[in-house]
């Protein structure tokens, strides 16, 4: 009898709450949208398999730069798979939301056994890009993943970001068994040459303080753009054939067939480099193996 009464009570409750279920569900959905906001969609329930030639562990002398495109309708599972395909020692990400990078990092370890430390170089908080609560939007900017610990992190916001706040971050870590200063930056958008020239000047002044440095990032400028002159004076691209002279041959790194992404090397010799088109961003992945 007690069981029957209990069933009857729960049945009545289900009927009562059933009438308002659509309203309740709608309220919950709206609340979730407000609290989470836009950014990468929910991670897929399946793991994208890696190519047969993908590496199985971190390559200690490999570095990678990738503008992961934000906001874009891309799963962090797919982003993690793109990184795991080459398993670099150091990865510089641009247009990175902190919570997306956290998920990418988790997927790299749980799905592929690749463990990374992380440091952030966020320059603004933006609900439209990174979600979060309206009163506490997510942080947005740069991030560095490194298989080795990182020290001496600095984050610098450029005095003039152009149409959106921009900056660079720097850390000291190990690449190829040696300590090196790693920079990661994202310069002002296209058609803002004067702004980028000022930003490059700020960045180059800091890079010049180091005999060994790796500068990763999206510079939003082609190799012969005048605003990149301070960088070319200090460092070379990981691709020996790519330089500002008209005879230079540079592989494009964007969907609009321009080279905007660089691995600048100071005091370090490249062994090889690779540009890989990806459907998960409007920028290709670019990685280089260093001597």
């Amino acid at each position: 009898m007690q069981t029957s009464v209990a069933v009857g009570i729960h049945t009545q409750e289900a009927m009562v709450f059933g009438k308002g279920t659509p309203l309740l569900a709608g309220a919950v959905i709206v609340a979730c949208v407000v609290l989470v906001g836009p950014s990468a969609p929910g991670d897929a329930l399946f793991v994208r398999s890696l190519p047969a030639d993908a590496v199985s562990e971190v390559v200690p002398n490999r570095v990678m730069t990738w503008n992961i495109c934000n906001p874009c309708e891309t799963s962090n599972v797919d982003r993690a798979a793109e990184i795991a395909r080459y398993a670099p020692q150091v990865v510089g990400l641009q247009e990175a939301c902190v919570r997306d990078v956290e998920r990418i990092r988790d997927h790299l370890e749980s799905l592929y056994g690749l463990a990374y430390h992380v440091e952030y170089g966020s320059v603004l908080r933006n609900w439209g890009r990174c979600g979060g609560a309206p009163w506490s939007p997510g942080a947005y900017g740069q991030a560095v993943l490194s298989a080795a610990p990182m020290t001496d992190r600095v984050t610098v916001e450029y005095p003039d970001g152009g149409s959106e706040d921009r900056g660079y971050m720097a850390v000291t870590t190990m690449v190829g068994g040696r300590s090196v200063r790693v920079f990661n930056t994202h310069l002002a958008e296209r058609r803002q040459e004067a702004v980028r020239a000022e930003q490059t000047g700020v960045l180059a002044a800091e890079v010049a303080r180091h005999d060994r440095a790796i500068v990763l990032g999206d510079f939003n400028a082609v190799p012969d753009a005048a605003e990149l002159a301070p960088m070319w004076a200090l460092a070379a691209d990981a691709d020996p054939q790519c330089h500002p002279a008209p005879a230079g041959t540079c592989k494009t790194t964007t969907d609009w067939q321009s080279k905007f992404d660089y691995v600048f090397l100071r005091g370090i010799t490249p062994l090889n480099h690779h540009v890989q088109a990806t459907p998960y961003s409007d920028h290709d992945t670019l990685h280089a193996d260093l001597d």
Side-chain angles (χ1 to χ4, degrees):
M1 290 295 295
Q2 290 179 344
T3 301
S4 300
V5 171
V7 171
I9 292 174
H10 288 304
T11 301
Q12 291 178 351
E13 289 177 348
M15 293 175 62
V16 171
F17 283 102
K19 297 178 181 179
T21 297
L23 293 177
L24 178 60
V28 170
I29 292 171
V30 170
C32 290
V33 170
V34 169
L35 291 176
V36 176
S39 187
D43 294 343
L45 298 178
F46 58 90
V47 179
R48 186 161 65 86
S49 60
L50 297 179
D53 59 349
V55 297
S56 58
E57 58 185 18
V58 168
V59 181
N61 66 329
R62 179 170 294 171
V63 297
M64 176 178 177
T65 184
W66 190 22
N67 182 321
I68 60 176
C69 185
N70 233 313
C72 286
E73 295 298 319
T74 300
S75 166
N76 289 311
V77 171
D78 292 328
R79 287 168 168 162
E82 289 294 274
I83 295 171
R85 180 176 186 175
Y86 301 106
Q89 172 81 3
V90 170
V91 186
L93 301 176
Q94 304 89 42
E95 295 196 17
C97 295
V98 168
R99 68 189 184 96
D100 286 336
V101 176
E102 289 173 344
R103 292 170 180 169
I104 292 170
R105 182 187 177 207
D106 288 344
H107 293 321
L108 284 167
E109 184 165 12
S110 63
L111 301 179
Y112 305 107
L114 302 174
Y116 286 97
H117 303 268
V118 63
E119 293 287 354
Y120 296 99
S122 302
V123 293
L124 61 89
R125 291 186 173 275
N126 189 303
W127 186 86
R129 286 186 181 270
C130 297
W135 55 89
S136 182
Y140 169 84
Q142 286 73 247
V144 172
L145 300 176
S146 174
M150 293 174 277
T151 60
D152 304 320
R153 179 187 66 88
V154 299
T155 297
V156 176
E157 186 174 336
Y158 293 124
D160 184 358
S163 56
E164 179 181 81
D165 292 349
R166 295 290 165 91
Y168 75 83
M169 64 178 295
V171 298
T172 298
T173 189
M174 302 293 289
V175 176
R178 296 186 62 186
S179 178
V180 63
R181 193 66 169 164
V182 176
F183 295 81
N184 183 20
T185 191
H186 188 190
L187 300 191
E189 295 176 346
R190 289 178 288 176
R191 295 180 294 278
Q192 300 181 60
E193 293 85 355
V195 175
R196 287 197 299 275
E198 294 180 3
Q199 295 172 346
T200 307
V202 171
L203 175 63
E206 183 60 27
V207 174
R209 298 179 58 245
H210 302 272
D211 294 331
R212 285 172 45 82
I214 301 170
V215 186
L216 310 171
D218 174 5
F219 285 74
N220 270 317
V222 294
D224 61 351
E227 61 265 33
L228 291 191
M231 286 305 306
W232 288 116
L234 293 172
D237 190 70
D239 178 1
Q241 300 302 314
C242 183
H243 45 76
T249 303
C250 305
K251 291 185 177 180
T252 62
T253 63
T254 66
D255 285 356
W256 48 95
Q257 299 302 304
S258 295
K259 178 178 172 65
F260 279 2
D261 305 272
Y262 297 82
V263 175
F264 281 115
L265 304 174
R266 177 172 169 83
I268 301 171
T269 303
L271 294 177
N272 56 63
H273 69 285
H274 184 77
V275 176
Q276 178 64 48
T278 170
Y280 306 112
S281 174
D282 53 0
H283 286 252
D284 303 331
T285 63
L286 168 61
H287 76 261
D289 294 341
L290 312 179
D291 188 358

